[in-house]
Amino acid sequence: MAKRQSRGTRALLEEIGDLGSLDNVTPSLQGTGAKVINIVLDRIRPDPAQPRRVLPEVIRQEFLAGHINARQALERWEALVAEEASRLGRPRPDWRALLDRNPDDRGDDIALDAPGQPGPEEDALRAIVATAATIRHGGQVSPITVSEVEGGAYFRIETGERRYWAHHWLNTWLGDGFDQIQCIVVPQASPWRQAAENTSREGLSAMAMARQLATLLLDLYDIHPPQDGPVPNDWYRQALNYRVPRGEGEALRAALGGIERAQFSRIQALLRLPDAVWELADRYRLEERRLRPVLRLQDEAVQLQVVRLMVERGLSADKVEKLVESGNVERVLHGDAPSPQTDFGETVSERVANRWPTLASQVQDANLELVADQWLKRQKPDAIRSQVAALRRLLELVEREIEQKAKGSD
């Protein structure tokens, strides 16, 4: 497949500069064929290839496949948040109160925000509601950009999907006064302009960045995503088979927010992770540094289990790195798991060696009958016999070392 001419990339980047400030975008687009109009929400559809995910994945797939409409998608999202809040012991959010709150008035923040940490689904939906409240009280400052599809039968979102869902939220809660959204209609959608919006407004998650990288790299080879229904992850994985064309590296990395060359390769490698990991990484906005060590595990099922453990315990990148390097992954996953504070870099031998001197020094001061009684109650006889035999071997080794050192000192 021949690559696209580099002149096209530079021209698109120049156009990105023209669209950089959406607040005053109309003058900069004069003469380019773009126009600003109000469009009914029902005539607009999100881009199925948008690297940044807005809806939870299970709802997104149903919506893009046409199985549910926008109102039903938001209702299912609300239900997911309610289930998540119940699991976390949090009250269900008061969506009407959050929508009524003027973003410029911070006096009610404490009263409206429940104590504790919201889950990822609630966090994401709260962001949509916050955008809706901003639009309600201050108007839509930035239009979204869309392109015509099928001769104007409908419009596809290029940038601004979160504002689109915020308008749907307003339309659901407040009525038809918000059934239209201000749009900039561009002659042709550009993944490069989309990338500029994604990287400038809010940092992308690691997997969103990987999809963004794949979309731009494949675009350089004139490979474009399917436009009907959800885009499968295997489409993005095609980017693993392509290198950056000569002369395009600087422009491509700039479109991704100015990342370094080494970072580009690490993000591209994330495309090898299985679908289930993509979904978890999106939902919890996991960083590339935390996902990087998982790639060294060969079994996809183990990769998923490690990412789940990472989420459940809030493991740092260093902890994940040490866990993978230790070779103890299977042991940790099968129940012999240290506490979240444990250094996963220790092997079993290192852990015993580090803790045994302190424990042994306490044995002489302990009630040995109580220790023996509890030992016998908590473990089966065969297990105790095996442990006693190991302790005898340890004592023999220690006594031998003491004798040798004593002889050496003579």
Side-chain angles (χ1 to χ4, degrees):
M1 178 72 69
K3 76 178 182 69
R4 196 183 65 194
Q5 294 297 316
S6 62
R7 180 184 60 82
T9 306
R10 282 191 283 275
L12 281 167
L13 289 175
E14 290 171 4
E15 189 176 358
I16 289 169
D18 288 341
L19 291 176
S21 176
L22 292 178
D23 293 347
N24 300 295
V25 72
T26 308
S28 66
L29 288 177
Q30 288 179 355
T32 66
K35 49 188 175 181
V36 180
I37 59 175
N38 288 327
I39 302 177
V40 176
L41 290 173
D42 288 343
R43 293 190 63 202
I44 302 173
R45 301 178 191 174
D47 178 6
Q50 165 63 266
R52 184 196 295 278
R53 298 296 189 245
V54 177
L55 295 174
E57 189 61 21
V58 62
I59 300 174
R60 178 179 173 273
Q61 293 285 335
E62 286 191 88
F63 176 74
L64 292 177
H67 298 154
I68 57 176
N69 59 32
R71 183 183 293 265
Q72 291 168 327
L74 290 174
E75 288 172 351
R76 294 194 183 191
W77 198 354
E78 280 188 77
L80 275 183
V81 171
E83 292 174 7
E84 179 185 71
S86 178
R87 288 196 307 271
L88 296 174
R90 287 172 55 84
R92 182 181 302 191
D94 186 343
W95 298 120
R96 185 58 192 241
L98 290 169
L99 187 59
D100 288 343
R101 179 171 60 183
N102 190 324
D104 294 331
D105 181 7
R106 301 297 178 184
D108 295 331
D109 282 359
I110 296 177
L112 292 178
D113 295 334
Q117 182 65 33
E121 304 298 3
E122 180 179 337
D123 231 6
L125 185 50
R126 275 176 171 265
I128 297 298
V129 177
T131 300
T134 299
I135 293 170
R136 178 188 182 187
H137 295 285
Q140 183 186 350
V141 176
S142 299
I144 69 173
T145 61
V146 299
S147 60
E148 290 186 349
V149 179
E150 296 179 3
Y154 68 95
F155 297 84
R156 179 175 293 124
I157 298 173
E158 178 194 59
T159 65
E161 185 178 344
R162 286 183 292 185
R163 277 163 277 162
Y164 161 83
W165 285 110
H167 269 78
H168 268 298
W169 185 270
L170 288 165
N171 192 40
T172 298
W173 283 80
L174 302 180
D176 292 340
F178 294 95
D179 63 342
Q180 298 184 31
I181 185 171
Q182 190 178 41
C183 303
I184 301 167
V185 181
V186 295
Q188 184 175 358
S190 163
W192 298 83
R193 201 158 47 230
Q194 189 177 73
E197 163 99 354
N198 283 340
T199 56
S200 66
R201 287 189 174 268
E202 181 184 338
L204 293 172
S205 68
M207 291 315 307
M209 181 67 84
R211 285 190 294 268
Q212 187 76 82
L213 179 154
T215 301
L216 297 181
L217 179 56
L218 292 172
D219 185 70
L220 291 173
Y221 287 90
D222 281 326
I223 301 173
H224 309 293
Q227 295 299 315
D228 295 322
V231 177
N233 291 336
D234 281 343
W235 183 85
Y236 299 101
R237 289 193 181 100
Q238 293 179 95
L240 291 166
N241 303 321
Y242 291 89
R243 302 182 64 176
V244 179
R246 185 180 298 276
E248 299 286 5
E250 184 178 349
L252 182 52
R253 292 194 297 275
L256 293 169
I259 63 175
E260 300 294 331
R261 184 175 300 178
Q263 190 179 3
F264 182 96
S265 299
R266 291 195 295 265
I267 293 170
Q268 186 179 21
L270 295 180
L271 296 169
R272 299 204 308 267
L273 291 168
D275 289 358
V277 170
W278 286 37
E279 185 174 347
L280 272 178
D282 273 326
R283 187 187 311 162
Y284 291 93
R285 297 187 58 81
L286 300 179
E287 311 92 325
E288 181 274 330
R289 188 162 175 256
R290 280 208 280 176
L291 292 170
R292 191 188 314 166
V294 178
L295 287 165
R296 299 206 294 272
L297 301 169
Q298 300 303 312
D299 190 316
E300 290 189 356
V302 174
Q303 289 178 334
L304 177 58
Q305 288 177 294
V306 168
V307 173
R308 283 176 176 160
L309 184 71
M310 183 193 310
V311 169
E312 291 168 2
R313 299 191 177 185
L315 299 182
S316 66
D318 288 339
K319 284 282 182 69
V320 179
E321 178 77 25
K322 289 176 180 178
L323 171 60
V324 173
E325 285 185 351
S326 73
N328 293 331
V329 173
E330 294 286 351
R331 178 181 62 79
V332 170
L333 294 177
H334 287 86
D336 184 17
S339 68
Q341 289 74 34
T342 300
D343 185 346
F344 285 115
E346 292 180 329
T347 64
V348 174
S349 300
E350 290 170 336
R351 190 163 60 254
V352 173
N354 290 335
R355 291 157 180 74
W356 180 255
T358 301
L359 182 60
S361 67
Q362 295 173 349
V363 169
Q364 60 185 357
D365 299 324
N367 182 335
L368 297 184
E369 290 183 359
L370 176 61
V371 173
D373 180 64
Q374 292 299 314
W375 195 357
L376 290 166
K377 284 182 178 179
R378 296 181 184 184
Q379 293 187 301
K380 296 180 179 180
D382 287 345
I384 293 176
R385 290 190 187 99
S386 176
Q387 293 163 7
V388 168
L391 284 172
R392 286 189 179 128
R393 289 197 299 273
L394 174 61
L395 294 175
E396 289 171 1
L397 287 171
V398 171
E399 288 176 354
R400 191 183 309 156
E401 288 289 332
I402 291 174
E403 290 178 1
Q404 289 178 351
K405 287 183 179 181
K407 290 179 180 177
S409 62
D410 292 342

